[in-house]
Amino acid sequence: MTTDDISGMGPLVARLSRGGQRLRHADRTHPWVLDTAVVVLVFLMFCLPDLIHGGADDGDGPPRFRLAFTQLPVGGILALQAGLVLPLLWRRRRPAAAFAAITAVFVLQWSLGAPLRADIALFVALYSLALHGRLRQLPWACAAMAGAMVLVAVRVSPAVSVWDALFFLLSTATAALALGMVVRIRRAQLAGLRERAARLETERDQRSRLATATERTRVAREMHDIVGHNLSVIITLADAGAYATDIAPERGKEALRLIGDTGRQALGELRRVLGVLREAGDGPPGGPELSPQPGTADIEGLCGKVRAAGLEVFYRTSGDVEALDSGVQLTVYRIIQEALTNTLKHAAPGTRVELAILVEDSRLTIRVQDTGPATPPGPPNEEGHGLVGMRERAALYGGTVSAGPTGGEGWSVEAVLDLTPGSGGER
């Protein structure tokens, strides 16, 4: 077969596929139509010739074959045909009942010694039982079929060898049974594939929703850190500037300048976070201008802004902090930013803050301790979003965060991260 022949079959295959789909849809909507069509087809092909010629033995066979059977009147033939064919109407809804009814009529017919072409209905019933019935019903159906075939072989023994007749009849029954099982298995495989496709589609949608929720949480956490910290610094600087305007105008100008710098930095960080949310075609041709994520090198600048807002911050490190992974550095920066923001919100001006980052093998410890009043950062018995955000960030690296009063007038926040490769989550 050439390539042109294959390409020419494309429209034909497509039309046949669409036709098959329409037939299956029509069958699901009106199942009785197909059942009735099968009965009519069997009647026209196998029953009508017997009614016209007076039975399967129409006088053209060998004399010994004609003498072995009984000639029934038209009424008897019609009654037996009805018993053989009409049960096919429920061959799909009640396959076992249809098979049993047809087998009973079949045995009665051959006991009378009257062969009919309508006996094909027994093989159709066996096929339907294998396709639509329960599998545990097949053994007794096969036994009944074998018994009926033995009866037929014995009745035709004057004309045909019993073993030859049995071979032909049992082969035909086996073919009907095998065809029904093959179609049944194929339908089960297709149903399994459809179910698997539906399950994969559901899992894909679930993963998409989970990824969306995760990204929303990440963006919300970033927005909280950026807006919360910088607004706290701006508010504190504004209050200090208003107080210093009359006493020390230069300090008031310095506060206003720091407010502008903090606002511009916050605006830049917000543009960076929101810029990555845009689709590729929504932004300018070159895409959003992204600045690097903050890391441990930016912590000193963060401390400088907090000092300018009125707190005394003492910052120290231990270990190779600069060699940390960029994701770990961002986590460290955000945890410290949130801890200093809470101190800025709840501690009095002049509060001493001790900030330490300790790196020991696969363990990183962040400790932020102040000497201000031990006021929890939120309503009583309720954790604020900042502490929850810190714990979420630490959990990305298998870490924990603890916060509480130091026993005196201060408040302490301590975070421990696990730096073991593969222990942290992906951002």
Side-chain angles (χ1 to χ4, degrees):
M1 182 177 293
T2 64
T3 305
D4 294 337
D5 295 333
I6 296 175
S7 61
M9 292 178 61
L12 176 60
V13 172
R15 285 195 295 269
L16 291 176
S17 177
R18 288 193 296 268
Q21 291 177 356
R22 285 194 292 267
L23 287 176
R24 286 191 294 270
H25 176 72
D27 184 46
R28 286 193 297 267
T29 307
H30 306 289
W32 57 270
V33 174
L34 179 60
D35 296 333
T36 304
V38 170
V39 171
V40 172
L41 183 64
V42 171
F43 176 80
L44 293 177
M45 293 183 63
F46 301 100
C47 296
L48 195 59
D50 284 345
L51 293 176
I52 295 174
H53 300 292
D57 180 21
D58 54 8
D60 295 334
R64 59 178 180 172
F65 187 80
R66 293 196 302 268
L67 294 174
F69 300 109
T70 304
Q71 296 295 324
L72 296 177
V74 175
I77 294 175
L78 188 59
L80 290 174
Q81 287 177 346
L84 290 170
V85 175
L86 290 181
L88 294 178
L89 287 172
W90 64 85
R91 65 183 183 87
R92 292 193 292 179
R93 296 186 297 274
R94 298 288 187 272
F99 178 81
I102 294 174
T103 303
V105 176
F106 182 87
V107 171
L108 173 63
Q109 168 211 327
W110 280 97
S111 298
L112 296 175
L116 295 173
R117 293 179 176 87
D119 291 340
I120 191 69
L122 182 62
F123 299 101
V124 176
L126 180 62
Y127 162 81
S128 301
L129 181 62
L131 178 57
H132 303 289
R134 299 177 181 176
L135 294 179
R136 65 172 179 266
Q137 296 171 340
L138 288 180
W140 68 260
C142 293
M145 191 72 176
M149 295 302 101
V150 170
L151 174 62
V152 175
V154 171
R155 296 294 298 188
V156 301
S157 59
V160 182
S161 169
V162 173
W163 297 111
D164 291 342
L166 275 178
F167 176 79
F168 173 76
L169 293 172
L170 292 179
S171 297
T172 306
T174 302
L177 179 65
L179 180 61
M181 292 301 299
V182 167
V183 176
R184 183 186 189 121
I185 293 172
R186 178 59 178 169
R187 289 184 179 180
Q189 289 176 340
L190 292 177
L193 291 176
R194 285 192 292 267
E195 181 182 358
R196 183 171 180 269
R199 185 170 63 252
L200 290 176
E201 184 176 357
T202 301
E203 292 177 356
R204 182 197 64 191
D205 294 340
Q206 291 176 346
R207 286 195 298 268
S208 177
R209 288 194 293 269
L210 181 60
T212 300
T214 302
E215 184 64 15
R216 286 177 177 174
T217 302
R218 186 189 70 82
V219 172
R221 190 166 55 228
E222 289 286 332
M223 296 287 288
H224 174 271
D225 292 342
I226 294 170
V227 176
H229 170 76
N230 288 289
L231 283 181
S232 297
V233 173
I234 289 173
I235 292 171
T236 304
L237 289 173
D239 291 341
Y243 176 77
T245 299
D246 297 331
I247 302 176
E250 293 299 326
R251 295 293 300 273
K253 291 181 180 180
E254 179 66 16
L256 292 176
R257 186 185 64 78
L258 291 175
I259 288 174
D261 293 341
T262 303
R264 280 187 290 272
Q265 180 181 355
L267 184 60
E269 292 186 6
L270 285 176
R271 285 175 175 171
R272 172 180 55 79
V273 173
L274 297 178
V276 299
L277 299 179
R278 299 175 182 171
E279 297 293 340
D282 294 342
E289 296 183 2
L290 307 179
S291 59
Q293 294 274 27
T296 54
D298 302 296
I299 294 178
E300 186 59 48
L302 179 65
C303 295
K305 291 196 298 182
V306 176
R307 292 189 188 101
L311 300 182
E312 297 181 11
V313 182
F314 296 89
Y315 171 48
R316 66 184 181 88
T317 62
S318 175
D320 193 359
V321 177
E322 298 297 331
L324 295 174
D325 179 77
S326 59
V328 178
Q329 292 195 29
L330 176 62
T331 299
V332 171
Y333 180 90
R334 292 305 187 196
I335 290 176
I336 293 175
Q337 183 184 49
E338 183 58 39
L340 293 177
T341 300
N342 289 335
T343 302
L344 197 61
K345 288 179 181 178
H346 301 279
T351 298
R352 177 187 176 92
V353 182
E354 294 184 358
L355 168 62
I357 302 176
L358 309 176
V359 180
E360 301 172 343
D361 297 330
S362 61
R363 177 187 175 95
L364 185 147
T365 304
I366 305 169
R367 188 176 296 114
V368 182
Q369 183 174 345
D370 63 66
T371 60
T375 304
N381 301 323
E382 181 179 346
E383 292 184 350
H385 294 291
L387 186 55
V388 173
M390 284 191 285
R391 285 177 174 161
E392 289 178 350
R393 289 186 179 277
L396 293 175
Y397 294 92
T400 59
V401 174
S402 59
T406 58
E409 292 295 326
W411 186 267
S412 175
V413 175
E414 182 172 315
V416 179
L417 306 183
D418 184 6
L419 303 181
T420 303
S423 63
E426 293 182 359
R427 284 182 54 81

